[in-house]
Amino acid sequence: MRAEGGFPLDRPVLGLESSCDETAAAVLAPDGRILAEGVLSQEREHAAFGGVVPEIAARAHLAALPGLAERVLKRAGLGFGDLGAVAATSGPGLIGGLIVGACFGKGVAIARGLPFVAVNHLEAHALTARLPGLLPEGAPEFPYLLLLVSGGHCQCVAVEGLGRYRRLGTTLDDAVGEAFDKAAKLMGLPWPGGPHLERLAAGGDASAVPLPRPLLGRPGCDFSFSGLKTAVARALAQGAAHADVAASFQAAVAAVLADRARNALGVLPDATAIVVAGGVAANQAVRSALAGVAGMAGVPMLAPPLRLCTDNAVMVAWAGIERLRVGLSDSLDHSPRPRWPLAELAGV
């Protein structure tokens, strides 16, 4: 739905995130200043199962979200009556959690007569780097290259404008964060495995174990990680040191991501920056490899602060603000979508 000329944004926006296993709320001023934010992890609830259990996640969101939203508003010195709009992640993600967040957000919007924005989780990641004052290099101008790398997503995307996204490549099998978690599990590391694997890799030799680097040097921007995971299992079975395997795995992933980013820049030669987002964006080896590609291309490599790499509500509120500014909001009968490609978003 479009309001001609945009909505008058003179009051804060509440953002809500519940697409997977983080329950999050944030309040942003109309100019993008973060007034307050909060994230509750469900790591303890899911650790025993080695991954996220959707039903457990949905119940945890239901129990936690109302109280978290109230606390975040209180920290900002605000109440629900001070809000100007509500933005809630409405896909893609686990449908139970999406329903919880979207319904709570709609309830607030109905009670206060506010605009509601159904935020696409991927777009929220894509726009995080545009949050004013977030990065010392400044917000990137369109178009820029986004590498979205997380447990559920692995994509190269040309970000050409608000709601205008062109997918240049995606994974043929595992997402990169999923590959990190699976490799970590093979090494006996706790879930979630990515941070544990990175710490283990710090004490290993990245050249000690010859692991494959799938699709490296080939045309295109697609990814593949299942063969790399199999090679990790084989190396461990042959007695390779866990730290060396971790370091070699991390180096292989970083090299593949850098190679795919290099190809993507060839498709998007007018890109103003490489932006990396998602949980794997917190990995320092990945950041370093992508910074090298960006440096060779003469563009900055931009990554959000570590706390905003993983799922959070700051990015949801900001995506809502970006949309509201151009008059885009959603009706209260908008249904959450477990699958919601960026290409299906309304743009300007």
Side-chain angles (χ1 to χ4, degrees):
M1 180 174 71
R2 180 184 291 276
E4 192 64 34
F7 291 95
L9 278 179
D10 55 0
R11 291 187 292 167
V13 173
L14 173 67
L16 305 168
E17 160 60 27
S18 59
S19 65
C20 192
D21 62 329
E22 276 95 15
T23 307
V27 185
L28 268 61
D31 61 3
R33 285 179 296 115
I34 302 170
L35 302 180
E37 58 180 303
V39 180
L40 297 178
S41 172
Q42 298 178 10
E43 184 174 329
R44 182 181 303 172
E45 288 88 338
H46 301 288
F49 303 96
V52 178
V53 181
E55 179 64 19
I56 293 175
R59 289 178 181 274
H61 289 309
L62 185 61
L65 186 57
L68 177 63
E70 288 183 359
R71 291 194 298 275
V72 167
L73 281 167
K74 185 176 181 180
R75 286 201 293 270
L78 302 169
F80 287 105
D82 298 309
L83 295 172
V86 182
T89 302
S90 298
L94 301 177
I95 189 61
L98 293 172
I99 290 172
V100 170
C103 286
F104 180 75
K106 290 176 184 178
V108 175
I110 291 170
R112 298 295 175 178
L114 302 175
F116 173 76
V117 183
V119 171
N120 180 294
H121 182 84
L122 307 183
E123 180 172 60
H125 275 302
L127 298 175
T128 300
R130 288 174 48 80
L131 189 64
L134 185 68
L135 300 171
E137 301 90 343
E141 297 293 332
F142 300 123
Y144 55 87
L145 173 65
L146 168 70
L147 261 73
L148 181 55
V149 285
S150 69
H153 306 284
C154 188
Q155 298 182 17
C156 279
V157 179
V159 181
E160 298 174 328
L162 181 63
R164 294 193 288 118
Y165 306 97
R166 183 160 48 100
R167 194 176 73 182
L168 306 178
T170 188
T171 182
L172 305 178
D173 37 63
D174 293 347
V176 62
E178 181 183 3
F180 264 98
D181 285 340
K182 288 179 176 178
K185 186 174 182 178
L186 290 169
M187 297 176 210
L189 298 174
W191 180 89
H196 294 285
L197 189 148
E198 183 176 12
R199 285 192 288 271
L200 179 62
D205 179 357
S207 63
V209 183
L211 295 177
R213 300 184 174 192
L215 302 183
L216 188 76
R218 296 189 187 183
C221 305
D222 287 334
F223 307 85
S224 174
F225 295 106
S226 64
L228 178 57
K229 175 194 65 181
T230 302
V232 166
R234 186 179 301 115
L236 292 169
Q238 292 171 350
H242 285 201
D244 290 342
V245 175
S248 299
F249 171 85
Q250 182 175 260
V253 168
V256 168
L257 292 177
D259 180 71
R260 304 289 89 184
R262 193 176 298 110
N263 286 359
L265 286 176
V267 180
L268 190 66
D270 55 346
T272 63
I274 296 177
V275 173
V276 58
V280 179
N283 183 281
Q284 295 302 313
V286 168
R287 288 191 178 213
S288 178
L290 293 175
V293 173
M296 291 290 290
V299 298
M301 193 285 289
L302 306 178
L306 297 185
R307 78 180 196 284
L308 299 183
C309 286
T310 53
D311 294 348
N312 64 88
V314 170
M315 69 181 190
V316 177
W318 174 245
I321 289 171
E322 289 247 43
R323 290 195 153 260
L324 289 164
R325 281 176 171 172
V326 297
L328 292 173
S329 71
D330 295 278
S331 66
L332 294 173
D333 63 358
H334 185 282
S335 297
R337 300 176 57 179
R339 296 186 182 276
W340 192 5
L342 283 169
E344 296 181 10
L345 286 175
V348 293

